Amino acid sequence: MAWVSEKSRNKIPYTTIDGTHDDRSAYNPSGTEADGINWWTNGFWGGMMWQMYHDTGDEKYKDIAVISEAKLDRCFEEFYGLHHDVGFMWLLTSVANFKLTRNPESRKRALHAATLLAGRFNPAGGFIRAWNDLDEGDTRGWAIIDCMFNIPLLYWATDETGDPRFKQIAMTHADTAMTAFVRPDGSVNHIVEFDPYQGGVVRTYGGQGYEEGSSWTRGQTWAMYGFMMSYKHTGKSEYLDTAKRIAHYFIANIPEDGVIPVDFRQPPEPKREDDTAAAIAACGLIEIANVIETYDKSIYLKAALKLLKALEQRSDWSERSDAIVQRGSAAYRAALHHQPIIYGDYFLIEAAFKLKGDGLYLW
Ligand code: GLY
């Protein structure tokens, strides 16, 4: 990490090109597009730096994290490119900074982001709207399972300000997600469309998975670890039960070799894998194991270790690549597969620090 953090010091990487990090902060510089400075993954690089700073105490990592946090201010200025992923973006940058340094500017940024997220709440449907219309058609009623990782920003805002509204919105969204996204077998929908005027489910979509009704693996992990996060913030036992139900489904579907497909219900060919899902799942499984006191603990821990061992063997630990995790897939129907994606590295690092027992909890 030491060499690559210096090498990519002024970037906000998403993937690599010929082994070198790209830079989303230089991409689509207008600031109004969702895939440039507003890209949902733009907090992960800062988050990695804060994890390293917390572990090593080396100021170099803090300085690099602060560079990407400041760059994200352009999103607030432009406003139009933003979406529900303000949680992914500012929990790992400004909330992390505030937790570790008490920087008042970071607190202000994080509260600003939380307010934007709360403003996306639809009271009739009890959900947080995911995306703006952009090119996708009418998305006023769309919510996606990934939002379970954004709502911890709302829990943080209530803890920080004492205003219960943020937490009320987060819990209403989580309650809706428990019934509308999670299926009885523990698998999870990616996208649910609600009636934005009356509430109620209109239909579901396969989203980044294979098809409607399938089981996009990264979506399963956003749900499993996401409900665990809501349990940690609220103590509501139904959230833990839901995280465990999703975990049981996930564990039952882990292939013998520990390599996770893009979708548990995809056809056997072409072979499409997503190592980022393995890294996120490992984090969620370790968190579940951490709150279980019976011998069942080992079920979750053993599954996490199996995923991490497979990941360790498939990753590039050399200086040939700026990324460690090499075989991520953004979506089943993405143009590219088996490429490094920044959150693969972030969650691998988070999992490693969790196993060490002294990780920095940023969600
Ligand atoms: N949150 C979008 C994704 O997982 O690709």
Side-chain angles (χ1 to χ4, degrees):
M1 280 309 296
W3 65 270
V4 78
S5 58
E6 286 298 348
K7 187 176 169 207
S8 300
R9 177 181 181 87
N10 291 306
K11 295 181 178 177
I12 304 187
Y14 168 66
T15 185
T16 60
I17 298 165
D18 298 330
T20 297
H21 272 149
D22 68 346
D23 180 12
R24 282 276 161 166
S25 66
Y27 185 88
N28 255 328
S30 80
T32 54
E33 309 289 337
D35 58 353
I37 193 63
N38 294 299
W39 188 232
W40 73 276
T41 65
N42 284 354
F44 285 106
W45 176 246
M48 275 161 67
M49 296 301 115
W50 286 118
Q51 291 285 355
M52 293 303 296
Y53 172 66
H54 178 255
D55 189 66
T56 63
D58 187 334
E59 297 278 324
K60 158 181 79 200
Y61 296 114
K62 180 174 114 182
D63 296 345
I64 299 170
V66 164
I67 296 172
S68 65
E69 181 184 349
K71 284 188 180 197
L72 295 184
D73 283 350
R74 193 144 51 88
C75 307
F76 292 139
E77 285 153 24
E78 300 292 343
F79 175 71
Y80 287 115
L82 280 175
H83 36 64
H84 73 147
D85 286 323
V86 294
F88 278 110
M89 293 166 75
W90 278 280
L91 278 164
L92 298 180
T93 53
S94 297
V95 176
N97 191 347
F98 181 66
K99 279 183 177 165
L100 291 172
T101 73
R102 312 309 286 174
N103 177 359
E105 198 55 37
S106 296
R107 180 180 188 272
K108 191 163 70 180
R109 288 176 173 127
L111 287 175
H112 189 161
T115 306
L116 292 174
L117 184 57
R120 302 185 72 84
F121 181 65
N122 180 312
F127 68 91
I128 292 173
R129 179 181 176 181
W131 298 314
N132 307 326
D133 285 336
L134 299 171
D135 299 326
E136 287 121 6
D138 183 354
T139 57
R140 287 174 298 172
W142 286 32
I144 69 173
I145 194 61
D146 324 30
C147 194
M148 295 304 295
F149 271 57
N150 290 321
I151 61 176
L153 181 63
L154 301 177
Y155 295 127
W156 172 83
T158 285
D159 291 345
E160 193 50 38
T161 62
D163 184 336
R165 292 174 304 156
F166 298 104
K167 184 174 179 180
Q168 287 160 355
I169 289 174
M171 290 184 76
T172 306
H173 179 87
D175 292 346
T176 304
M178 257 193 314
T179 54
F181 283 80
V182 186
R183 307 180 186 120
D185 67 354
S187 69
V188 178
N189 288 305
H190 182 201
I191 301 173
V192 177
E193 180 178 350
F194 299 90
D195 180 326
Y197 292 101
Q198 311 293 334
V201 173
V202 174
R203 59 164 292 192
T204 63
Y205 298 85
Q208 285 163 248
Y210 175 61
E211 63 181 4
E212 188 178 355
S214 71
S215 174
W216 175 47
T217 54
R218 198 161 63 254
Q220 315 306 294
T221 70
W222 294 143
M224 171 171 54
Y225 190 4
F227 277 104
M228 192 56 213
M229 292 169 185
S230 276
Y231 172 67
K232 281 168 77 95
H233 286 286
T234 65
K236 185 165 168 168
S237 59
E238 287 93 332
Y239 296 154
L240 177 60
D241 293 343
T242 304
K244 284 165 69 178
R245 182 149 54 93
I246 301 163
H248 299 161
Y249 168 83
F250 196 96
I251 292 169
N253 280 281
I254 297 176
E256 199 51 46
D257 60 4
V259 176
I260 300 301
V262 175
D263 193 309
F264 281 133
R265 295 176 188 165
Q266 71 190 29
E269 296 295 337
K271 238 185 180 33
R272 289 194 176 154
E273 299 159 353
D274 183 12
D275 282 352
T276 72
I280 304 161
C283 290
L285 290 164
I286 296 167
E287 287 290 342
I288 296 174
N290 284 347
V291 298
I292 291 178
E293 275 156 21
T294 61
Y295 73 92
D296 287 355
K297 188 184 188 79
S298 65
I299 297 171
Y300 306 99
L301 217 40
K302 266 170 64 182
L305 289 175
K306 179 171 182 158
L307 296 172
L308 290 172
K309 278 186 187 141
L311 266 182
E312 185 191 5
Q313 282 166 10
R314 292 155 60 78
S315 294
D316 187 337
W317 301 91
S318 76
E319 294 193 16
R320 282 188 301 274
S321 173
D322 290 352
I324 303 170
V325 174
Q326 296 294 313
R327 293 175 71 80
S329 288
Y332 185 81
R333 292 179 208 287
L336 271 181
H337 290 281
H338 310 148
Q339 59 170 163
I341 312 181
I342 191 75
Y343 42 83
D345 282 10
Y346 173 82
F347 285 105
L348 181 69
I349 289 168
E350 189 184 299
F353 287 141
K354 278 189 204 306
L355 286 180
K356 254 182 90 190
D358 57 358
L360 170 66
Y361 187 75
L362 291 179
W363 301 104

